[in-house]
Amino acid sequence: MTYFIMYQGRPIGPLNINQVFGYTRDANTPVSRDGGPWNPLSSYPELAERLARLTPTPAPAGLNQRTVSFGEAIARGFRGYFTFTGRSSRSEFWFWFLFYFIISIPLSVWLQSSMNTEVYFDLLESLQSGVIPSNFSAASIYTDGGTSAIISTVISVLFFIPNLAISIRRLHDSGHSGWWMLLILILFPVCYIGNIIMLVFAIQPSQPTENKYGPVPNLD
């Protein structure tokens, strides 16, 4: 089955059904199927069905996107621990990372305060000269024997996956591919360029209609 379409005042074709929608998504576009008469695109059932699937579904009338609560955002973050599909709104994203920072800041302070700076700088000097002290142990860098470092590392590892998952869902919500996270992670060490890119995407509002990643989140 082949089609011709009237595009910018001239016939284009023959086209298959996928090529038709590469040119137009207007239901009133004149189309000729298999050399037949010209009719509106929507008059052909197979084209009308494909057009309906490609057309975003608007949010139901009278519904508004609500702001999730702090507790709800935390619960959703843990429920979506391994969920890399779907969408997450701005409030869900920012409340989740607020929760993460509330946990991270005390851990960071504990880690810094428990560091034995004298041993640490002695180690740096030794490394610069290419020598590692024979009596060196990682635990000796910390006054608490490394407990703070172990706990901080465990927390960071536990939060890495849900942080990645909700970031991908936030990208989806604003209409962007989750593969952007790969570039963001690669550029993270370079003057925080990755963070800046993620910030630009994270502050964007939800797309107001259903997109290919799912329906609009938090509708009431």
Side-chain angles (χ1 to χ4, degrees):
M1 190 176 294
T2 60
Y3 305 89
F4 282 80
I5 67 169
M6 194 63 66
Y7 181 74
Q8 296 182 347
R10 60 189 181 90
I12 301 292
L15 306 172
N16 61 37
I17 191 169
N18 293 322
Q19 292 170 324
V20 167
F21 291 101
Y23 281 95
T24 182
R25 295 188 182 183
D26 183 352
N28 296 315
T29 299
V31 176
S32 171
R33 182 175 63 186
D34 293 331
W38 293 87
N39 294 300
L41 182 150
S42 59
S43 66
Y44 299 98
E46 71 279 6
L47 296 180
E49 180 183 357
R50 177 67 66 88
L51 179 63
R53 293 205 304 266
L54 294 173
T55 302
T57 303
L63 294 185
N64 297 305
Q65 187 181 45
R66 65 181 176 84
T67 298
V68 301
S69 67
F70 181 62
E72 185 179 359
I74 295 171
R76 289 187 181 191
F78 284 117
R79 284 201 304 268
Y81 200 99
F82 294 104
T83 303
F84 300 94
T85 58
R87 299 168 61 175
S88 290
S89 65
R90 284 185 295 187
S91 58
E92 182 180 341
F93 175 86
W94 289 113
F95 275 142
W96 169 261
F97 275 98
L98 175 60
F99 168 64
Y100 173 62
F101 285 123
I102 288 174
I103 292 176
S104 298
I105 290 174
L107 284 175
S108 179
V109 172
W110 180 26
L111 185 65
Q112 293 296 323
S113 63
S114 63
M115 182 175 290
N116 189 329
T117 55
E118 182 178 350
V119 174
Y120 176 73
F121 286 114
D122 286 345
L123 175 63
L124 288 182
E125 290 179 5
S126 299
L127 292 175
Q128 288 172 357
S129 61
V131 177
I132 298 179
S134 58
N135 61 346
F136 169 75
S137 68
S140 66
I141 298 178
Y142 300 95
T143 57
D144 61 3
T147 302
S148 58
I150 293 172
I151 294 177
S152 295
T153 301
V154 170
I155 293 296
S156 296
V157 170
L158 288 176
F159 271 91
F160 176 77
I161 293 177
N163 286 353
L164 179 63
I166 198 170
S167 296
I168 290 175
R169 297 198 302 270
R170 181 78 270 271
L171 288 170
H172 290 169
D173 188 45
S174 54
H176 303 290
S177 170
W179 286 107
W180 272 100
M181 277 305 302
L182 180 60
L183 178 62
I184 290 167
L185 291 173
I186 291 173
L187 293 178
F188 174 78
V190 185
C191 300
Y192 298 103
I193 292 176
N195 283 12
I196 295 171
I197 295 173
M198 187 64 219
L199 176 63
V200 171
F201 286 144
I203 62 177
Q204 293 178 5
S206 300
Q207 287 193 319
T209 60
E210 180 177 347
N211 63 22
K212 63 181 179 180
Y213 303 108
V216 182
N218 315 336
L219 286 181
D220 282 340

